[in-house]
Amino acid sequence: MAVRLFSDVSSRVADPYLARAVVLASRARGAAWPNPLVGCVIVADGRVVGEGYHPRAGDPHAEVFALAAAGEAARGADAYVTLEPCSHYGRTPPCADALIAAGVARVVIGMRDPTSEAAGGAQRLAEAGIRVEFAADETPFVELNAGWLKRVATGMPYVTAKVAASLDARVALEPGMRAAITGSAGSEVTRSLRSAADAVLVSAATVIADDPALTVRDALGHNAQRQPLRVVLVRTSVPHADARVFTDGVAPTMVLASDAADGPALDALPAGVPVMRWPAGGGLHAALSALGTHGVGHLLVEPGPRLLTALWAEAVLDELVCVTAGGMGGTASPPLYAGGPDRAGEALIHRMAPVEAGIVGDVSVTVWSPVAALGEA
C-alpha cells in the first residue's frame, strides 16, 4: 500500500538505521513529488552523526542534508539510504559523488533506483572503493514509494479511493443532499489520507453539489501548512467559477478536463487555475495518464457513486479505503455503487482483498487492494 493507516512501514525494516531512514523519508510524504521519498542516516562508531531527507523537488537530496549534518564525522562512516543514490546531474549534483567526496566507507541501500537516468549510483560508489550493500528485503522501500514507482513504470499515479458509507453501503440520507455519514472520526481518516497524498481528486459533480474545500485541516479547523494539489475531474459540465476550490487560495487547484468539456465554461474559470486536457474516448486511463505527466505519483480520489463505479469498471484502483459508520441509511438513500455485480454464476468474484483494518473513534476503516496485485507481491 501507499499509505499505512494503522501500522508503520519502517517497523518491517530489519536494520534499525535503514528503518530510521524510512521514518525520515516519510516526513516529506505528499511534498516531495514528482521526486521519490528518500531518507539518509550517517553512522560512525555505532552513533548517528547525521541524518536528512529530501523535503521537496529542487531542494538538496537526503544524502546532502545528512552529510552536512555529519561534517567531518562522515569520513570512514557508514551511510544508510532508502533509495540508490543518484548518479546524474538533475536539479542537483549526483548524490553518489557527494558520498564519495565525503569519504564514507560503506553505503547500505534499501532498493535500487529503477530509472535509467538516475540508476548506477551503486556502481559508481563501488568503483570509488566504497563498500555497497543492499537490504535483503526491498518490499518496505517499494511500499514507501509506491506512487512514484507506479508513475515511473506506467505513467499513471497510484490511485487510492476513499469512500464513507453506512452499514448498508449508503452514502447519503437523501438523494442530492449532503449528509454527515461518518462524522468527526471519518474526518480524521480523511485528514490523514489527504496529508499523505500528492493530489486529491473529485468529480465536477461533487464540486457542483457540495462545494468542498478539499483541504487538510487540524481538529480545530485550521489549515495545514502543506496542502495537496486539488484536482477537479471534468467530463462535460464545468463547476461555476466561484466554487471554493477555485477561489479560496488555500491550495492550488487544477482542472482535468476532457475534450468534450464545455469550452466557454472552462474559459470563465479564474486566472491561475490551470486546465489539463484528456481525450474523453480514453476514459479514466487517459485522464490519469494526463495527471501522471504532471508528476502526480500518489492520487487520493474522493468519489461519489458514479465516479467510484467508473473507477471500478476501468480497474484503475490500487487501493480502496472504506470508512463505515454504525447506522443504516435506508432504501431511499443513494447507494455507494451504481454498477452491476462481479459474478461468476452464483458466486461473487472477489476482486479485492482486505490488507489492513482498524477502528477510528466510532467508525471502522478497512483498506482493500486488488487481488491480482497481492498475488504479484
Side-chain angles (χ1 to χ4, degrees):
M1 292 183 304
V3 178
R4 288 274 171 171
L5 289 171
F6 307 107
S7 61
D8 181 3
V9 175
S10 67
S11 66
R12 294 183 289 111
V13 179
D15 187 290
Y17 298 124
L18 275 180
R20 174 59 181 169
V22 169
V23 171
L24 292 168
S26 298
R27 291 180 178 177
R29 193 177 289 282
W33 69 282
N35 291 348
L37 300 171
V38 183
C40 180
V41 175
I42 309 295
V43 179
D45 299 322
R47 182 174 63 90
V48 174
V49 294
E51 57 182 32
Y53 66 96
H54 178 53
R56 62 185 62 83
D59 281 0
H61 289 186
E63 297 92 329
V64 174
F65 281 113
L67 290 169
E72 282 301 312
R75 190 160 302 278
D78 297 336
Y80 295 79
V81 61
T82 55
L83 182 68
E84 180 180 10
C86 63
S87 61
H88 75 302
Y89 281 89
R91 295 187 185 182
T92 59
C95 294
D97 287 0
L99 290 165
I100 293 168
V104 300
R106 174 172 165 258
V107 177
V108 183
I109 301 169
M111 67 170 289
R112 292 187 182 276
D113 191 316
T115 62
S116 58
E117 64 174 7
Q123 180 178 345
R124 198 161 178 165
L125 293 169
E127 291 172 349
I130 295 173
R131 182 179 168 190
V132 177
E133 300 175 12
F134 285 89
D137 180 12
E138 71 171 12
T139 304
F141 306 97
V142 170
E143 185 173 315
L144 173 70
N145 274 306
W148 176 73
L149 288 168
K150 184 182 177 186
R151 183 178 63 81
V152 166
T154 70
M156 294 173 60
Y158 185 101
V159 180
T160 296
K162 186 228 72 175
V163 295
S166 60
L167 285 172
D168 56 344
R170 304 288 169 161
V171 296
L173 300 180
E174 296 180 38
M177 295 188 65
R178 295 190 65 180
I181 296 294
T182 56
S184 60
S187 297
E188 183 179 339
V189 176
T190 300
R191 282 197 298 271
S192 176
L193 291 170
R194 286 181 182 174
S195 64
D198 300 341
V200 55
L201 179 148
V202 296
S203 68
T206 292
V207 176
I208 292 169
D210 298 341
D211 194 24
L214 303 178
T215 52
V216 179
R217 300 178 294 278
D218 63 22
L220 298 177
H222 301 140
N223 289 315
Q225 183 175 4
R226 194 208 71 81
Q227 298 288 338
L229 172 69
R230 300 179 292 194
V231 181
V232 180
L233 180 67
V234 172
R235 182 173 290 273
T236 53
S237 299
V238 180
H240 197 273
D242 63 2
R244 278 200 291 180
V245 291
F246 302 140
T247 60
D248 64 12
V250 176
T253 300
M254 169 184 286
V255 173
L256 193 59
S258 82
D259 53 14
D262 183 338
L266 289 175
D267 293 339
L269 292 175
V273 175
V275 176
M276 178 170 282
R277 306 304 292 263
W278 54 278
L284 288 174
H285 280 85
L288 293 172
S289 294
L291 201 54
T293 65
H294 188 66
V296 173
H298 181 202
L299 175 68
L300 173 65
V301 183
E302 299 182 19
R306 288 179 60 187
L307 180 53
L308 175 64
T309 302
L311 291 164
W312 189 268
E314 295 195 37
V316 294
L317 287 176
D318 296 293
E319 191 171 63
L320 178 61
V321 180
C322 296
V323 184
T324 306
M328 299 293 183
T331 56
S333 303
L336 174 66
Y337 179 70
D342 296 312
R343 64 185 303 166
E346 297 302 314
L348 179 72
I349 298 173
H350 291 204
R351 284 175 48 185
M352 283 195 159
V355 293
E356 196 177 16
I359 297 171
V360 179
D362 60 353
V363 301
S364 71
V365 185
T366 309
V367 183
W368 301 76
S369 289
V371 172
L374 293 173
E376 294 167 2

